[in-house]
Amino acid sequence: MNRYRTYMDRITVPAGLHEALLAGKHPRRRKGRYVPALGLAAACCLLAVVGLWQPWGNVPVQEVSPTAGTAATPATEESLPPEPGTEHTLVVEDPFQGQPHGFFNVTGLAFPDCTNSGVMLIDYGPPEGWFTEQMTGQDIITALGGEDEVPWVLCWSGFSLDGQVIYLEDGSVWKAAIQGVCEDTTFTLVLWPGQYPLMSTSYTDAVTEDVKGLAVTSWSTCYDSDGDGLDEYTCHVDFQYDDLGVSFTVTGSDSGPANLLANVLAQYGYDGFTTEHLVSRTGGEGFLDLGTAVISNSRELTQEEAYEEDMSVFFPDPDTLPSGFSFAHAGRTRSGAQETLSILFTRGNDSISIGVTRFPASASLLAPDFQPEEVTAAALEEYGYYVDYFTDYDRGDTPGWRYDAFTIHYPQVDGSTLAVTWSVRGVDPSDLAALVNGTAVPPPADGPQVYPLE
């Protein structure tokens, strides 16, 4: 698979970037076979997920503690969790030890497919003087309504959890975010005391419905968000319970866990959520005060707006695209010192997606797939593979060239690096080489091997 996948994990891709890409299984390839991507399951079909939950059908409800779900590695209230990237703050154990158990009646929410929906992207950030601190294991448990354990009703068994709190200058909580990961399923729960959740992405086709007296907004998407050739499924709910705003987004390679976790949280899991116990341990001392900086932001762009950006020099001239390709989507995202400009062109099932990410000089990057001068028709022919009518390919697919996403580095004079990732299908090697080489910025003569935009 793509050696550059790690890059994509670091990049926040705008919702809908790959919305026009073909949904469904990918063809057999020389290196193995892609796992078939399934269509979004109907919201009412809440089947138990193998490896996470046991089947609940026809199983009598058991009397279980409402706070079951032990944290395997709880952190003390006085100590801060380890640095990110070393280990997680806590891991939720299965209180039932893998045995079947009863559960509540879960009604399927709407979760309209907003993959191709109109979207409004909103930039926002906390007021001046804010600072952030990591949550301890007990912070997370209490925020979820537990005492000594994560409430079992959330169905988070097997998930590793971390959390962060953003405090305002006066020490009050602006928001608290809890992230979970279990194999290829991830989620983010954000609690907003005193207000409805501030949403950076708002879909026009999202649906709001009454759930046990709550006005719950839900939506879903399905597209290849990380460039690995497989679709990811996302389910989202947001609502306000009493004076606490709640936003929950879960993503995975299978629609089942995403659908189930979001349904359960919106119907049974929120009752004990709180941020009242979260008090800064340092008052901001020893933590980075980012002033009015925005945590991250993203914006959808028109084709004309995208080509006005400086990093668009790595985009092909639309007039040079192979016949039939047309503009589908473009966007710009920023997260800290890292920013990405991306664009997508499509032609039926074929696509040309280019993402340009500026990494600061301090970033530690994987080796690129190609050096700028190495992209030739022969090299791409070796890198890719061809699917024809005599090859085992998926129904509804079309013959043509397929490539794993590949990345090229363009060092800058200031030490930063522009990493350009191409995700392409349906373009032959010679045409693709011409597109890549036609966008490359030549290095200055008799100078260092850099490719400055200016």
Side-chain angles (χ1 to χ4, degrees):
M1 291 298 296
N2 176 26
R3 297 188 292 114
Y4 211 76
R5 228 175 128 174
T6 304
Y7 277 134
M8 303 306 294
D9 290 337
R10 303 174 184 170
I11 297 172
T12 303
V13 181
L17 169 60
H18 299 281
E19 61 192 12
L21 290 175
L22 173 67
K25 300 185 295 182
H26 284 253
R28 181 179 298 276
R29 44 177 297 184
R30 293 179 298 182
K31 301 177 183 178
R33 185 177 179 84
Y34 285 119
V35 177
L38 304 177
L40 279 174
C44 61
C45 297
L46 300 179
L47 301 179
V49 180
V50 176
L52 294 180
W53 301 276
Q54 295 294 324
W56 299 328
N58 301 320
V59 179
V61 176
Q62 300 181 13
E63 293 296 326
V64 184
S65 168
T67 56
T70 306
T73 57
T76 64
E77 184 67 26
E78 295 76 21
S79 64
L80 291 175
E83 290 295 322
T86 57
E87 61 183 50
H88 294 282
T89 303
L90 63 87
V91 179
V92 184
E93 293 182 345
D94 180 7
F96 305 105
Q97 298 180 342
Q99 298 302 309
H101 63 90
F103 201 72
F104 307 103
N105 179 33
V106 181
T107 303
L109 300 178
F111 293 112
D113 185 357
C114 293
T115 305
N116 298 306
S117 168
V119 61
M120 180 171 61
L121 302 177
I122 304 170
D123 292 350
Y124 67 84
E128 183 177 358
W130 66 274
F131 60 93
T132 182
E133 293 181 10
Q134 298 294 310
M135 297 173 71
T136 67
Q138 189 59 54
D139 283 341
I140 295 174
I141 291 172
T142 305
L144 298 173
E147 296 179 0
D148 301 319
E149 302 151 332
V150 171
W152 71 269
V153 70
L154 292 170
C155 296
W156 288 5
S157 297
F159 277 85
S160 300
L161 306 180
D162 296 287
Q164 301 82 33
V165 183
I166 293 181
Y167 294 96
L168 300 178
E169 190 172 20
D170 63 1
S172 61
V173 176
W174 189 61
K175 73 173 182 178
I178 298 171
Q179 296 85 30
V181 57
C182 181
E183 298 179 349
D184 59 359
T185 300
T186 62
F187 66 73
T188 299
L189 169 67
V190 186
L191 306 179
W192 300 84
Q195 68 175 46
Y196 197 87
L198 291 177
M199 306 304 301
S200 59
T201 303
S202 177
Y203 289 101
T204 57
D205 292 334
V207 170
T208 300
E209 54 192 312
D210 181 85
V211 180
K212 298 167 62 177
L214 286 181
V216 177
T217 298
S218 68
W219 53 260
S220 65
T221 59
C222 177
Y223 64 93
D224 181 9
S225 61
D226 59 9
D228 65 353
L230 301 174
D231 287 339
E232 286 76 45
Y233 299 86
T234 295
C235 288
H236 170 91
V237 293
D238 59 74
F239 52 89
Q240 185 163 351
Y241 177 63
D242 292 337
D243 63 346
L244 184 67
V246 178
S247 169
F248 185 67
T249 306
V250 54
T251 298
S253 60
D254 189 337
S255 63
N259 191 296
L260 175 63
L261 289 175
N263 267 294
V264 168
L265 183 135
Q267 296 179 56
Y268 296 104
Y270 58 82
D271 187 52
F273 289 171
T274 181
T275 61
E276 293 181 357
H277 64 294
L278 297 174
V279 178
S280 171
R281 300 174 180 84
T282 68
E285 183 178 353
F287 287 83
L288 182 62
D289 184 340
L290 298 178
T292 59
V294 176
I295 304 170
S296 64
N297 59 65
S298 60
R299 188 164 73 91
E300 187 172 0
L301 304 174
T302 65
Q303 178 174 320
E304 292 72 21
E305 290 173 334
Y307 275 88
E308 291 174 357
E309 301 284 330
D310 60 348
M311 293 192 295
S312 67
V313 296
F314 295 101
F315 292 167
D317 183 337
D319 293 336
T320 66
L321 295 174
S323 177
F325 276 92
S326 61
F327 172 77
H329 186 275
R332 182 185 63 203
T333 64
R334 181 187 298 273
S335 179
Q338 179 180 308
E339 57 181 329
T340 299
L341 180 68
S342 54
I343 197 165
L344 172 67
F345 301 96
T346 59
R347 180 185 61 189
N349 295 333
D350 299 333
S351 59
I352 300 172
S353 175
I354 307 104
V356 185
T357 301
R358 188 194 308 270
F359 290 98
S362 58
S364 177
L365 307 180
L366 296 176
D369 296 286
F370 294 103
Q371 297 298 330
E373 65 278 2
E374 294 176 345
V375 182
T376 64
L380 291 174
E381 184 174 352
E382 176 64 25
Y383 190 82
Y385 57 99
Y386 187 80
V387 173
D388 58 27
Y389 285 113
F390 301 100
T391 306
D392 181 15
Y393 66 94
D394 297 327
R395 180 176 299 177
D397 199 2
T398 54
W401 281 90
R402 308 287 186 265
Y403 309 87
D404 285 336
F406 59 89
T407 300
I408 309 165
H409 285 178
Y410 297 93
Q412 301 294 291
V413 176
D414 63 0
S416 64
T417 298
L418 293 176
V420 182
T421 300
W422 292 74
S423 299
V424 180
R425 57 179 290 152
V427 180
D428 67 51
S430 59
D431 286 344
L432 180 54
L435 289 177
V436 173
N437 294 322
T439 63
V441 177
D446 302 323
Q449 193 69 13
V450 295
Y451 300 80
L453 296 185
E454 297 78 20

